[in-house]
Amino acid sequence: MFLLHRRLPLLARTTFLCNSMEPAVTTTATTSSLGGSSRLAALAQQLRMYKPPPSSTFDEAEEMQADQESAGKVVSQVGFQESMTPVPKDPERFRPKRAAVLICIFEGEEGDLRVILTKRSSRLSTHSGEVSLPGGKAEEDDKDDGMTATREAEEEIGLDPSLVDVVTSLEPFLSKHLLRVIPVIGILRDKKTFNPKPNPAEVEAVFDAPLEMFLKDENRRSEEREWMGEKYLIHYFDYRTGDKDYTIWGLTAGILIRAASVTYQRPPAFIEQCPKFKYPKMVEKNTCMP
């Protein structure tokens, strides 16, 4: 499913629909200033070289729309939410709000790459009690998606932005609540400097999991669903740490599958099975949609 090092033909590039006008994520620290292992330094260098899939101009996006309508392209790379975002009757009004999440990677005691996750408060109105990545909606003062992601992480779990080396961002994902979510990858070079302080209004627990888990077929299950006549899979990853059991699924799972594929430079060991459908024109041109 993931073709990381190939130039794709025009029709295949509609899978990502990436826009060259997206604001760039600014890296926040140098390798030497944050210390850490040589493996993390090499990973940071590798990820800084990553760029989301080829973008198109606005005119090309409209041209690809016509191609898609006749060819029924696959335009999805996400992990799907339980209820799918319907295609609006008036696409011109379909302008999703922007948000960003932080994929904060660090090196575990056994040398594995791990990612920080949260369990959302059961008192929240949306996605209550679910596992998610730190993050939230963009604010006017945010200069880029990296700032949005790290600011929200600080508010939610007390992660000081100065400890995180923001290295790249992935292609956007669309949530069922019409949020255009930008996954931002950051590296925490010294886990010992981070003392989690979850905001009780938003976060019930902070934990971490091995990133490579999201490429393996172990402790994974899936459900087949159908939308607009097309079948697709929702992926669930079951994870236990200490005496706590967590399930990572839907959009969060989809983002982590993608992040793990980019980090480890290989596809998952299972079939993702994304649906085919026709997208509305006003989806900001490069959004990965369910």
Side-chain angles (χ1 to χ4, degrees):
M1 180 63 71
F2 298 108
L3 303 177
L4 302 183
H5 302 291
R6 293 177 55 192
R7 289 187 58 86
L8 302 179
L10 176 61
L11 291 180
R13 289 204 299 270
T14 62
T15 300
F16 300 96
L17 300 177
C18 290
N19 182 3
S20 59
M21 298 180 66
E22 286 298 317
V25 172
T26 305
T27 56
T28 58
T30 64
T31 298
S32 59
S33 66
L34 289 179
S37 73
S38 58
R39 182 185 185 189
L40 288 180
L43 177 63
Q45 185 175 4
Q46 170 199 316
L47 291 175
R48 285 192 183 97
M49 299 297 291
Y50 173 78
K51 301 296 180 184
S55 61
S56 63
T57 64
F58 180 77
D59 291 339
E60 287 174 337
E62 290 206 350
E63 187 175 316
M64 286 190 288
Q65 163 72 16
D67 291 337
Q68 203 279 335
E69 287 177 351
S70 62
K73 300 309 298 174
V74 176
V75 293
S76 175
Q77 281 279 56
V78 305
F80 302 95
Q81 297 287 348
E82 184 171 19
S83 63
M84 309 307 297
T85 304
V87 175
K89 294 182 179 179
D90 184 359
E92 294 300 317
R93 296 183 180 181
F94 183 60
R95 297 176 182 271
K97 295 181 179 179
R98 196 178 189 89
V101 293
L102 179 64
I103 304 166
C104 188
I105 299 172
F106 67 93
E107 191 169 17
E109 294 180 358
E110 298 181 0
D112 58 333
L113 297 178
R114 305 184 70 84
V115 60
I116 295 174
L117 295 165
T118 70
K119 181 179 180 181
R120 291 168 60 85
S121 170
S122 58
R123 292 175 290 182
L124 291 172
S125 59
T126 59
H127 305 293
S128 59
E130 293 185 7
V131 172
S132 68
L133 292 156
K137 295 179 183 178
E139 296 183 355
E140 290 185 5
D141 294 336
D142 294 340
K143 65 179 182 180
D144 59 23
D145 299 314
M147 178 174 285
T148 299
T150 54
R151 173 183 55 75
E152 286 286 339
E154 183 176 29
E155 293 175 5
E156 291 180 11
I157 62 176
L159 177 57
D160 187 338
S162 68
L163 300 177
V164 181
D165 185 4
V166 173
V167 290
T168 195
S169 62
L170 305 180
E171 54 273 21
F173 289 67
L174 187 69
S175 81
K176 71 176 182 179
H177 295 291
L178 301 187
L179 280 176
R180 190 164 181 263
V181 182
I182 315 299
V184 173
I185 298 182
I187 292 178
L188 177 64
R189 297 191 182 276
D190 187 358
K191 176 63 162 59
K192 295 178 181 178
T193 61
F194 171 46
N195 181 27
K197 297 177 182 178
N199 179 348
E202 298 185 62
V203 176
E204 185 175 306
V206 180
F207 67 101
D208 56 80
L211 182 61
E212 194 174 15
M213 177 180 82
F214 300 98
L215 295 180
K216 298 180 178 180
D217 207 14
E218 304 166 7
N219 302 315
R220 184 194 68 88
R221 51 195 169 90
S222 62
E223 291 183 6
E224 187 175 73
R225 304 285 180 88
E226 186 171 325
W227 184 56
M228 295 179 65
E230 294 290 339
K231 293 181 180 180
Y232 63 92
L233 295 177
I234 295 181
H235 299 279
Y236 298 78
F237 294 87
D238 297 315
Y239 180 65
R240 184 176 182 84
T241 177
D243 60 350
K244 302 291 185 181
D245 292 308
Y246 298 101
T247 299
I248 303 109
W249 70 287
L251 182 63
T252 299
I255 289 174
L256 289 170
I257 291 170
R258 180 65 181 153
S261 295
V262 170
T263 299
Y264 287 98
Q265 298 184 313
R266 72 174 192 264
F270 49 85
I271 297 174
E272 290 184 80
Q273 192 172 332
C274 301
K276 300 176 183 179
F277 75 106
K278 298 178 182 180
Y279 63 91
K281 289 184 181 180
M282 293 305 296
V283 189
E284 304 262 344
K285 299 178 284 299
N286 68 333
T287 302
C288 300
M289 287 186 61

